Amino acid sequence: MTTSSSTTDTTSNSENLLVRRADHTTIRYTATGPADGPVLVLIHGWACDRRDFDAVTRHLPDHYRVLAVDLAEHGESRSTRTVWTIEESARDVAAVLDAQSVTSAVVAGHSYGAAVAVEVGRLLPDTVAHVVALDGLHYLSLFPAQSEEQAEALLGLFRDDFPTAVRALVEGGSPAGTDPARKDAYFEKMVGVRRPGGLGAIEGLVRWDMDAALRGTRQPITVFGIRELVTREALDRYADRLDIVLIDLGSHHFQVEAPEGTARLLAGVVG
């Protein structure tokens, strides 16, 4: 495993770095803040990228060490791998923590990235102190393990009509009154995710057994969920394992829409 720096932004104390793994996998990430500060790791959602956290990072305390990671075949990261499980994405993040010699961190993931964050916690129980989900883990039609019939039905939507399936995801994460132009912007970004990596990642999520992962993860897990998008069923099902905090900061992509508010929530966990 080797790492190298591509660019350094001295005005924001930020570095664009990379770590290499097997299968011609190059994981790009941004490191901001002093090397000895409290570490916060940020993982984007499916078909998104680490730049979604740029504004959030600017609102976080200056003494934090913030690592924002592009998962394989998202953003600037590239890979020829054929294994697209949530666990493999967690190993990408773990490689970043190893490259940065991180000994303690809070790991926060948006949506799909929340599943990856849970697996990072399971993989690195002595390093990850707290897991945070940004509007993730509470969608019962997506996160808990599906039957083979359910999984194939959902995956068939993406295989048969990828744009329509992506549009459905965007609509499902948009509370009533969400600006149509904003939804269109999310759709245009997400529908352009690199394939087959994007399809592989969706399959990895659909086949992920979240309940088993939660049983194997000992860290506290805080979920910041958009109030209109969290069901009573989800609250009841996971009340004994997830600390679900209902918020009103916009849509499923609230970290983009309300970066200052998102930074306050994250800082409240990091301390």
Side-chain angles (χ1 to χ4, degrees):
M1 178 185 303
T2 61
T3 60
S4 65
S5 173
S6 55
T7 60
T8 301
D9 183 347
T10 56
T11 61
S12 62
N13 193 24
S14 177
E15 295 179 286
N16 292 317
L17 304 165
L18 64 84
V19 62
R20 301 185 194 277
R21 299 191 62 225
D23 298 316
H24 302 285
T25 298
T26 302
I27 301 300
R28 301 272 180 174
Y29 65 99
T30 302
T32 306
D36 59 351
V39 178
L40 173 62
V41 182
L42 300 174
I43 309 170
H44 60 78
W46 179 79
C48 299
D49 60 70
R50 74 187 194 271
R51 299 302 178 189
D52 287 350
F53 291 111
D54 283 355
V56 174
T57 299
R58 288 194 291 271
H59 288 291
L60 288 167
D62 291 339
H63 68 285
Y64 282 14
R65 180 66 163 175
V66 183
L67 306 175
V69 183
D70 274 345
L71 299 174
E73 286 297 275
H74 288 70
E76 295 179 314
S77 293
R78 297 292 176 263
S79 179
T80 61
R81 71 176 46 151
T82 58
V83 176
W84 294 99
T85 61
I86 297 295
E87 293 88 342
E88 193 62 24
S89 289
R91 294 184 189 101
D92 291 337
V93 178
V96 170
L97 270 63
D98 181 62
Q100 289 286 307
S101 300
V102 174
T103 59
S104 180
V106 172
V107 180
H110 168 237
S111 192
Y112 173 93
V116 177
V118 169
E119 286 294 349
V120 175
R122 181 155 69 157
L123 184 64
L124 302 174
D126 297 324
T127 300
V128 178
H130 202 122
V131 174
V132 178
L134 303 176
D135 209 54
L137 307 183
H138 62 81
Y139 289 94
L140 300 186
S141 62
L142 187 61
F143 283 92
Q146 310 291 308
S147 69
E148 185 61 26
E149 182 179 3
Q150 291 173 317
E152 281 302 312
L154 180 55
L155 292 171
L157 298 176
F158 286 89
R159 293 168 183 152
D160 296 342
D161 190 343
F162 192 77
T164 296
V166 174
R167 174 63 76 175
L169 284 182
V170 173
E171 292 294 336
S174 302
T178 301
D179 183 357
R182 187 178 292 277
K183 291 191 291 185
D184 288 344
Y186 293 144
F187 168 77
E188 291 298 334
K189 177 177 183 175
M190 295 171 68
V191 79
V193 67
R194 291 172 64 86
R195 285 181 269 175
L199 281 170
I202 278 289
E203 182 169 1
L205 177 59
V206 170
R207 299 193 183 283
W208 183 54
D209 189 339
M210 183 174 80
D211 292 324
L214 292 178
R215 288 192 296 270
T217 307
R218 71 189 191 197
Q219 295 92 341
I221 301 176
T222 300
V223 177
F224 293 114
I226 296 299
R227 189 181 307 276
E228 291 185 49
L229 303 178
V230 179
T231 65
R232 170 50 58 183
E233 183 182 2
L235 291 170
D236 292 341
R237 177 168 175 166
Y238 291 110
D240 62 341
R241 184 61 187 92
L242 305 177
D243 179 17
I244 302 178
V245 181
L246 302 181
I247 61 172
D248 301 291
L249 288 180
S251 78
H252 178 62
H253 298 266
F254 69 87
Q255 78 281 8
V256 176
E257 300 159 21
E260 186 173 3
T262 302
R264 282 197 298 268
L265 294 175
L266 292 170
V269 175
V270 178

